[in-house]
Amino acid sequence: MHLFEGLATTSTLFVLVATSPVNLQSRAGNFIVHQTVPKPFKKSGPAEILSTYGKYNASAPENVVKAAYANDGIVLADPTRYDIEYLSPVTIGGQTLTVNFDTGSSDFWVYSSYLSTTQTDGHSIYNPAQSSTSRVLDGYTWEITYGDGSGASGRVGTDTVNIGTTTVVNQAVELADDVSLQFQGDILNDGVLGLGFDSLNSVVRPVQQKTFFSNAKASLSAPLFTANLKRGKPGSYTFGFINAAEHTSSITYVPVDSDNGFWGFTTNGYAVGTAAFQTSSFKAVAGTHHSYWSPLHCFSTDHAHLPDTGTTLLFLPDTIVRAYYRSVRDSGYNYALGGYTYPCSVTLPSLTLGIGSYKAVIPGSYITFQPIDSEICYGGLQPNDGLDIAIFGGIFLKSQFVVFQSSPLQLGFATKPL
């Protein structure tokens, strides 16, 4: 069985459709979106790794592919376990769906009435015919193929989209008319709202479309949003303002490298537990939960870092990962499982990552991903071999308060109550 990952991740438009100008009906200034509980679905560790390689258009190591296909990971789980996926409400043409907000992609696609009833079982769907403000764009199509072989495709429309108290009129929405079997099993997720940069949306033809944030930011009190993911419980996103109650330190800002459509930044080192800080400059990307595949021209210099709300795991250069697990008793790289494992009974050390003058501390308890059995656990920290980028996914983001700001273009990091 092929695999899919429900984690981060909208349509981008370089040239607006002349007959459908995007405009703002509501100028709310700022709003907050509370997540629902993580959905009752989990994936195996190898499946998480494979999906992330696919998302960033890279070839996964052969042993990871074999391990992932040997265990598709599609099982029911306690909704608060493993923090695989967080969901938030979005209203399209008066119809509310539950979607993933993903800073690692820029497509806004949803389950729609164009799908057969066998494909929509258990999902909420968007029906353009039930909206007086909808419009299907003739000749516009989209198609996504993910690294694990799963995929979705369909047509493109526009409609009025409400998130919190902000409304965007004529927002482009990608309407699925075909989804693979893997997606159909992810029954509580009805789509993805990408929060990456417009240039990352390359699946819509003939014209790229803009993201919801890109269209809405002019109406916000400030052109920013924040991610406050939680461990084992719902977190929240705020748009247009920074909620002082959500962070406990001053916010450290660093420049963003958006050349590839991601929220990229540079880190300056690491420390394992109480050991001395090691200087090591590498680039990263930040993201929020949903690691579906996205077209990408990979960064080619050093190591790129992304904070990605759409990816569950934390992927770092191999030298850092090996240094971390050397401090964990009886841990090691398990080729059969495609990643680092360790005894569930051990206490993991913290991991500190340097971002500008800020030292982001990830508690050891946050670095466990999931148990493989009653004795062995799969690590939430894994090497980024072959990716050319380091990805700061949910393992990192659950431990930090993060600000995504478009003007000036920067990322902010701060401590928060854990």
Side-chain angles (χ1 to χ4, degrees):
M1 179 182 292
H2 289 304
L3 306 166
F4 71 99
E5 174 170 346
L7 288 183
T9 87
T10 21
S11 17
T12 39
L13 173 61
F14 291 131
V15 181
L16 289 175
V17 181
T19 55
S20 295
V22 173
N23 57 79
L24 288 160
Q25 179 174 303
S26 170
R27 302 180 65 87
N30 53 60
F31 61 93
I32 186 167
V33 179
H34 294 283
Q35 298 171 324
T36 63
V37 294
K39 59 187 299 308
F41 168 82
K42 76 177 182 70
K43 293 194 66 63
S44 66
E48 294 288 351
I49 294 176
L50 179 62
S51 292
T52 301
Y53 273 83
K55 177 176 183 177
Y56 292 101
N57 204 22
S59 298
E62 183 178 353
N63 65 300
V64 171
V65 176
K66 290 181 178 179
Y69 279 83
N71 179 2
D72 62 20
I74 304 175
V75 298
L76 290 177
D78 183 320
T80 62
R81 295 173 68 192
Y82 317 138
D83 301 336
I84 297 293
E85 185 175 57
Y86 296 82
L87 304 171
S88 300
V90 171
T91 300
I92 310 169
Q95 303 164 58
T96 300
L97 282 71
T98 306
V99 303
N100 279 287
F101 286 8
D102 183 10
T103 58
S105 69
S106 299
D107 288 272
F108 181 18
W109 74 266
V110 297
Y111 271 70
S112 80
S113 56
Y114 294 112
L115 290 160
S116 68
T117 55
T118 57
Q119 291 180 305
T120 59
D121 187 34
H123 292 273
S124 296
I125 64 170
Y126 164 65
N127 186 348
Q130 294 180 2
S131 170
S132 61
T133 52
S134 68
R135 175 174 177 261
V136 175
L137 301 180
D138 292 338
Y140 280 63
T141 60
W142 63 280
E143 181 176 4
I144 298 177
T145 301
Y146 301 101
D148 57 11
S150 61
S153 61
R155 61 198 78 187
V156 182
T158 63
D159 207 338
T160 299
V161 175
N162 302 82
I163 301 180
T165 56
T166 288
T167 299
V168 173
V169 177
N170 294 324
Q171 171 65 48
V173 183
E174 296 163 35
L175 313 175
D177 62 19
D178 186 47
V179 294
S180 63
L181 287 172
Q182 296 92 326
F183 281 112
Q184 295 170 42
D186 190 4
I187 60 171
L188 293 186
N189 174 25
D190 306 319
V192 180
L193 182 90
L195 293 169
F197 292 92
D198 289 347
S199 61
L200 192 58
N201 175 255
S202 60
V203 297
V204 173
R205 294 177 295 271
V207 180
Q208 287 184 310
Q209 304 293 298
K210 286 188 176 181
T211 67
F212 175 87
F213 178 61
S214 183
N215 287 324
K217 61 187 178 183
S219 74
L220 302 175
S221 297
L224 60 82
F225 63 92
T226 71
N228 184 20
L229 303 187
K230 298 287 188 178
R231 181 181 180 227
K233 59 183 178 181
S236 62
Y237 297 93
T238 67
F239 287 77
F241 76 109
I242 296 172
N243 186 347
E246 292 188 335
H247 62 94
T248 54
S249 71
S250 60
I251 301 172
T252 299
Y253 289 95
V254 296
V256 167
D257 177 359
S258 62
D259 287 349
N260 295 281
F262 295 109
W263 293 89
F265 63 101
T266 300
T267 61
N268 54 37
Y270 69 96
V272 177
T274 58
F277 188 81
Q278 304 294 315
T279 300
S280 176
S281 178
F282 53 102
K283 293 183 179 180
V285 293
T288 58
H289 276 65
H290 203 90
S291 48
Y292 289 126
W293 175 88
S294 297
L296 164 68
H297 300 292
C298 289
F299 293 101
S300 59
T301 58
D302 302 317
H303 300 282
H305 283 57
L306 299 141
D308 184 0
T309 58
T311 297
T312 301
L313 306 182
L314 171 61
F315 293 88
L316 295 180
D318 185 61
T319 53
I320 299 176
V321 176
R322 283 190 283 109
Y324 180 82
Y325 285 110
R326 277 199 298 268
S327 67
V328 179
R329 176 176 56 83
D330 295 331
S331 66
Y333 189 84
N334 188 317
Y335 281 87
L337 292 174
Y340 278 87
T341 62
Y342 49 87
C344 297
S345 59
V346 305
T347 300
L348 295 179
S350 63
L351 176 65
T352 300
L353 296 169
I355 305 171
S357 61
Y358 180 67
K359 297 296 188 290
V361 179
I362 308 171
S365 58
Y366 280 52
I367 295 176
T368 292
F369 172 54
Q370 63 181 211
I372 295 169
D373 54 32
S374 60
E375 297 182 353
I376 301 298
C377 281
Y378 204 89
L381 170 64
Q382 296 293 341
N384 68 335
D385 296 340
L387 281 173
D388 293 328
I389 51 176
I391 304 168
F392 283 39
I395 296 295
F396 172 83
L397 293 166
K398 287 181 294 183
S399 68
Q400 308 296 318
F401 177 79
V402 184
V403 180
F404 298 77
Q405 185 165 348
S406 67
S407 181
L409 186 55
Q410 58 187 6
L411 280 164
F413 299 88
T415 59
K416 67 181 182 182
L418 297 180

